[in-house]
């Protein structure tokens, strides 16, 4: 019912909507309308109430609830169904569950906070409420499972593009899918796949972007290596507008990947990553290797030239840049 009240108030943003008319339209008592308005105020909606004229919506909070997000979405199919949670363990786990139950491609899960936000390699993703973006998108690409890592590269490019469009700053990508601003991590991706040997059932694209988090909120361990858009821009950013831009970029890059094949995605990733020739230390499956990053190959693996001149393909792991 909250969403219906908001819809009516949004129809005529500058004028009052009488309590009587709202109660008639929603077929509830005027007391119920008043109680709901009071509840909406606790969520951050600034609603003016006048005994003679009714209610008027002055300002909406930057919540990611469907009634705030849907009106601004410009996508064709992505995000048309939104599963929204004020708090959840992990949007990825929820999306995985929904996909197993048959959720369609393009359905998304968003949460204002995560209690067990999952990072890569079993790490925890810090997910405090109402500040950042925690998003999982269900995709069902008809591609062989070996190409799944290209979906990760595609999503990293889309996330970097969305950050650039929303902030005017220039993000770079660190292999495989960290998005950095001034060498500090602003976004991370955790993609989970459910497949057979030769067929993907679904991919969960999990994206976390630090948007309005202040530097002091980062734990001491990550303070030096993490950042947020607010910190880099010096001003807060609208989370729902950012989500709209990100979904548009993801929809566009996914179409490019399916229609034009991996080459365009790999090229865009290379342009963003500037990995060629960098001195790196890679940790992969418990081993640490140092060398020079040569390129990424057509499956998205990192090619490393080790100090003894050997070329090695790294399919998973962590990269640290050395000076
Ligand atoms: C990384 O370690 O860099 C990946 C972080 C991915 C975090 C996002 S937040 C939304 C989605 N749900 C999760 O539990 N994790 C991903």
């Amino acid at each position: 019912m909250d969403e219906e009240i908001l819809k009516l108030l949004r129809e005529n943003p500058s004028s009052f909507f009488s309590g009587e008319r709202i109660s008639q339209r929603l077929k509830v008592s005027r007391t119920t309308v008043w109680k709901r308005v009071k509840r909406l105020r606790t969520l951050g909606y600034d609603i003016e109430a006048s005994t003679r004229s009714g209610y008027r919506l002055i300002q909406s909070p930057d919540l990611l609830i469907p009634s705030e997000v849907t009106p601004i979405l410009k996508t064709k199919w992505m995000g048309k169904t939104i599963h929204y949670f004020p708090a959840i363990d992990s949007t990825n786990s929820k999306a995985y569950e929904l996909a197993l139950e048959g959720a369609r491609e393009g359905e998304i899960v968003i949460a204002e906070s995560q209690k067990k936000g999952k990072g890569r390699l079993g790490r925890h993703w810090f997910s405090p409420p109402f500040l950042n973006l925690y998003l999982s998108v269900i995709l069902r690409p008809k591609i062989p499972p070996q190409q799944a890592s290209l979906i990760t590269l595609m999503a990293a490019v889309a996330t970097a593009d969305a950050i650039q469009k929303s902030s005017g700053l220039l993000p770079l990508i660190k292999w495989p899918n960290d998005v950095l601003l001034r060498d500090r991590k602003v976004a991370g991706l955790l993609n989970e796949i459910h497949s057979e040997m030769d067929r993907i059932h679904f991919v969960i694209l999990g994206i976390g972007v630090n948007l309005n988090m202040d530097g002091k909120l980062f734990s001491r361990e990550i303070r030096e290596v993490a950042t947020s858009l607010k910190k880099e821009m010096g001003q807060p950013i609208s989370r729902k507008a950012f989500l709209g831009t990100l979904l548009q970029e993801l929809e566009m890059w996914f179409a490019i990947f399916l229609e034009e094949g991996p080459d365009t995605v790999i090229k865009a990733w290379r342009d963003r990553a500037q990995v060629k020739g960098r001195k790196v230390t890679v940790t992969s499956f418990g081993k640490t290797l140092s060398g020079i990053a040569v390129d990424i190959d057509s499956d998205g693996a990192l090619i490393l030239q080790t100090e003894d001149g050997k070329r090695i393909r790294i399919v998973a792991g962590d990269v640290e840049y050395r000076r």
Side-chain angles (χ1 to χ4, degrees):
M1 184 191 306
D2 292 354
E3 301 216 349
E4 284 170 281
I5 294 177
L6 288 170
K7 211 168 150 212
L8 293 179
L9 295 182
R10 277 199 202 97
E11 274 173 17
N12 277 311
S14 51
S15 50
F16 281 93
F17 213 108
S18 82
E20 182 65 42
R21 271 174 69 209
I22 299 181
S23 71
Q24 280 168 1
R25 292 275 283 269
L26 303 187
K27 300 193 175 59
V28 294
S29 72
R30 288 181 66 170
T31 321
T32 308
V33 174
W34 170 232
K35 280 190 188 149
R36 288 293 173 154
V37 166
K38 278 205 292 193
R39 209 184 87 87
L40 285 168
R41 282 176 170 170
T42 65
L43 293 175
Y45 287 91
D46 187 357
I47 299 172
E48 191 182 341
S50 137
T51 15
R52 279 184 44 210
S53 323
Y55 302 103
R56 185 163 66 146
L57 180 62
I58 310 276
Q59 209 179 359
S60 301
D62 192 19
L63 291 177
L64 298 176
I65 46 176
S67 65
E68 290 295 329
V69 171
T70 303
I72 61 161
L73 281 191
K74 294 201 185 82
T75 51
K76 290 191 199 79
W77 53 271
M78 197 177 278
K80 294 292 169 191
T81 300
I82 301 176
H83 302 270
Y84 168 83
F85 300 88
I88 201 169
D89 278 353
S90 150
T91 56
N92 262 32
S93 307
K94 186 71 198 175
Y96 202 97
E97 220 177 279
L98 290 167
L100 283 176
E101 288 161 9
R104 278 159 305 135
E105 181 160 76
E107 294 194 19
I108 65 172
V109 180
I110 320 172
E112 300 287 5
S113 70
Q114 298 184 114
K115 288 188 274 280
K116 291 184 189 154
K118 296 192 284 186
R120 285 179 60 239
L121 310 170
R123 295 184 192 124
H124 170 71
W125 186 257
F126 182 46
S127 315
F130 304 114
L131 292 172
N132 300 323
L133 180 68
Y134 317 114
L135 165 74
S136 298
V137 182
I138 298 170
L139 294 178
R140 296 186 181 275
K142 291 187 182 55
I143 55 168
Q146 306 82 276
Q147 284 194 2
S149 56
L150 293 168
I151 297 274
T152 300
L153 301 192
M154 173 290 287
V157 169
T159 305
D161 280 5
I163 289 175
Q164 183 159 356
K165 283 203 171 138
S166 307
S167 67
L169 303 171
L170 187 71
L172 293 180
I173 302 175
K174 193 172 84 161
W175 185 87
N177 49 6
D178 287 353
V179 184
L180 312 181
L181 281 172
R182 287 195 306 128
D183 271 354
R184 288 166 190 224
K185 182 157 165 175
V186 68
L189 281 82
L190 176 70
N191 297 335
E192 300 185 57
I193 171 173
H194 185 263
S195 70
E196 296 167 27
M197 283 296 280
D198 52 3
R199 190 168 74 97
I200 290 181
H201 296 276
F202 58 82
V203 176
I204 305 298
L205 219 59
I207 308 178
V209 188
N210 297 331
L211 292 176
N212 289 329
M213 194 138 95
D214 283 325
K216 57 182 186 298
L217 267 182
F218 291 112
S219 67
R220 211 171 301 140
E221 302 93 75
I222 61 170
R223 204 166 291 164
E224 294 307 313
V225 291
T227 193
S228 69
L229 273 181
K230 181 179 173 192
K231 201 168 162 219
E232 298 301 318
M233 292 162 66
Q235 63 183 62
I237 179 165
S238 155
R239 293 186 309 145
K240 61 187 171 212
F242 181 81
L243 172 63
T245 309
L246 176 57
L247 290 175
Q248 237 181 314
E249 290 297 322
L250 282 170
E251 187 178 272
M252 188 193 80
W253 276 106
F254 187 51
I256 291 176
F257 172 62
L258 295 180
E259 282 156 25
E260 297 177 21
D263 289 358
T264 317
V265 170
I266 291 177
K267 182 181 177 312
W269 190 93
R270 278 195 191 112
D271 290 347
R272 278 273 181 209
Q274 301 174 4
V275 72
K276 249 184 204 171
R278 284 194 89 152
K279 282 187 183 166
V280 294
T281 299
V282 183
T283 315
S284 176
F285 301 109
K287 272 194 186 161
T288 304
L289 295 163
S290 290
I292 297 197
V294 178
D295 207 347
I296 56 159
D297 73 7
S298 56
D299 288 335
L302 179 74
I303 314 290
L304 181 76
Q305 174 144 348
T306 57
E307 275 148 7
D308 54 8
K310 277 194 208 131
R311 284 198 172 194
I312 301 181
R313 273 182 95 238
I314 314 274
V315 290
D318 245 359
V319 163
E320 206 182 299
Y321 292 143
R322 289 184 294 142
R323 305 222 174 254

